[in-house]
Amino acid sequence: MAMAEITVRGAGVFGLSIAWVLARRGARVQVVDPFGAGSGSSGGLVGALAPHVPENWNDKKAFQLESLLMAEAFWPEVQEAGGVDPGYARLGRLQPIVDDRALDLARSRIDGAKALWQGRAVWDVVPSSDAGEFAPRTGTGFLILDTLTARLHPRHACAALVAALRTRRVEVVPDAQDQGAVIWATGWQGLLALSDALGKAVGVGVKGQSVAFRHAAMVAPQVFVDGLHIVPHADGTVAVGSTTEREFEDPSSVDDQCDELVARARAAMPVLADAPVIHRWAGVRPRARSRAPMLGAWPDRPGHYIANGGFKIGFGMAPKVAEVMADLVLDGLDTIPEGFGVDASM
């Protein structure tokens, strides 16, 4: 059987992950992105691979759970293949419990996590005194600890995928003619182009800003507090993000909203009070109309496929997205949840 020829357009985490799985399965792949790997929202700072609350279960939460569990094998395999560390570690997450009502709710979710997370991770309530110095302020003296949440460094993860792909003779090139089936993983601008092609709005871009502190907390659990993801990385930085800006003029500009992130993070985390800010970043994330990733065949365009819209959860979803897209393109096997189909955003 001849190797399938496939063009992946877009070198963010979706495009690179899909290309890696396709190449690993024996396809002949080319990745095309005029701006290079990780140049869009996948080149950010935060990298929180965090689950939804373990209740009111649905296809999106089940898909995400499977992808988060798959990550434990996916990212080490990428690292082993290419020799570049993506910064992956499953170290868990802490969340402050602000009052007695929230404490009761947090405790009520312990059993749900036992059932829904298949015994592979826990959701627990722990005294804040047990959490160490990298812990948020809490009004009750208790924190939620889940052991499912993981982290990776977005830029390092994209570099790791590029290195792994090179071992399969796959390069990211700025321009090339389509060969074989085409998978469009082109981010927020791709969603706008798809909206134009279909004559209806199927997705938009939402800008986000984030910051990085210089602070060494490499193996501490990340923190979710006051709507912020506060993520220690193995390189001695702590990333904090992000804003949500539906209206913007400059996709890459940073402004005083970054200062607000810094102030909120320092207020929540005493350990960051004197940590210097070493980087500020802004980018635009693709948000499909359904709010779930948009996966599947491009309507009325045979041989073309879409993998887009991983708003805020793209890195966490990437291993499973890559698997189901490879199943679809290589084998014609459609295992995409109904709510993730292109039709769900039309």
Side-chain angles (χ1 to χ4, degrees):
M1 179 178 176
M3 289 192 297
E5 289 192 341
I6 300 170
T7 299
V8 177
R9 293 201 169 272
V13 68
F14 274 13
L16 293 171
S17 297
I18 293 167
W20 168 245
V21 172
L22 290 168
R24 194 181 62 195
R25 293 194 190 182
R28 184 181 295 115
V29 185
Q30 63 173 353
V31 182
V32 183
D33 194 313
F35 305 105
S39 59
S41 60
S42 292
L45 303 173
V46 180
L49 312 186
H52 291 283
V53 174
E55 62 184 16
N56 301 323
W57 210 238
N58 56 36
D59 286 346
K60 182 177 181 180
K61 292 184 178 183
F63 189 101
Q64 185 192 45
L65 171 65
E66 189 170 353
S67 191
L68 291 173
L69 294 174
M70 289 172 62
E72 288 192 277
F74 182 89
W75 292 109
E77 180 185 61
V78 168
Q79 180 176 349
E80 182 178 1
V84 175
D85 185 355
Y88 175 83
R90 183 174 153 188
L91 299 170
R93 174 181 59 173
L94 298 170
Q95 302 179 66
I97 301 175
V98 297
D99 54 32
D100 289 342
R101 181 179 178 183
L103 181 59
D104 290 341
L105 180 59
R107 285 174 170 156
S108 74
R109 289 169 171 162
I110 293 174
D111 289 339
K114 288 179 181 178
L116 296 169
W117 289 355
Q118 306 168 12
R120 305 278 298 277
V122 299
W123 170 289
D124 203 358
V125 173
V126 299
S128 58
S129 57
D130 292 352
E133 70 169 10
F134 199 81
R137 301 181 189 275
T138 173
T140 60
F142 290 95
L143 301 165
I144 298 166
L145 168 65
D146 83 73
T147 63
L148 179 57
T149 298
R151 64 107 201 272
L152 51 69
H153 194 297
R155 296 178 182 180
H156 298 175
C158 289
L161 283 163
V162 169
L165 283 165
R166 283 180 180 147
T167 68
R168 301 278 177 160
R169 299 182 180 179
V170 179
E171 297 285 344
V172 177
V173 298
D175 190 31
Q177 295 293 317
D178 289 341
Q179 296 178 10
V182 184
I183 300 172
W184 295 83
T186 45
W188 73 281
Q189 292 170 318
L191 286 179
L192 297 183
L194 180 62
S195 296
D196 288 341
L198 297 177
K200 58 184 70 177
V202 297
V204 297
V206 179
K207 183 178 177 180
Q209 299 183 49
S210 58
V211 299
F213 292 88
R214 173 64 65 192
H215 179 80
M218 286 84 83
V219 295
Q222 63 189 263
V223 172
F224 184 68
V225 55
D226 188 28
L228 297 179
H229 295 279
I230 302 175
V231 183
H233 287 299
D235 62 358
T237 64
V238 174
V240 178
S242 62
T243 65
T244 298
E245 304 166 46
R246 292 177 174 81
E247 296 183 3
F248 54 89
E249 293 183 1
D250 185 345
S252 60
S253 65
V254 296
D255 55 34
D256 57 4
Q257 294 188 67
C258 278
D259 296 330
E260 294 177 13
L261 292 177
V262 172
R264 289 164 59 197
R266 287 180 169 157
M269 299 286 292
V271 73
L272 296 178
D274 298 318
V277 176
I278 61 170
H279 196 64
R280 298 166 185 253
W281 176 89
V284 182
R285 298 155 295 183
R287 179 181 178 273
R289 186 178 178 183
S290 69
R291 297 185 65 90
M294 180 190 293
L295 310 174
W298 185 312
D300 302 321
R301 198 166 176 179
H304 289 248
Y305 301 85
I306 297 162
N308 208 329
F311 181 58
K312 293 187 178 182
I313 55 175
F315 279 91
M317 292 285 204
K320 184 65 175 175
V321 165
E323 179 183 80
V324 299
M325 290 303 297
D327 287 342
L328 180 64
V329 177
L330 293 179
D331 304 322
L333 179 61
D334 187 349
T335 59
I336 298 168
E338 183 177 351
F340 287 31
V342 178
D343 289 347
S345 291
M346 294 177 63

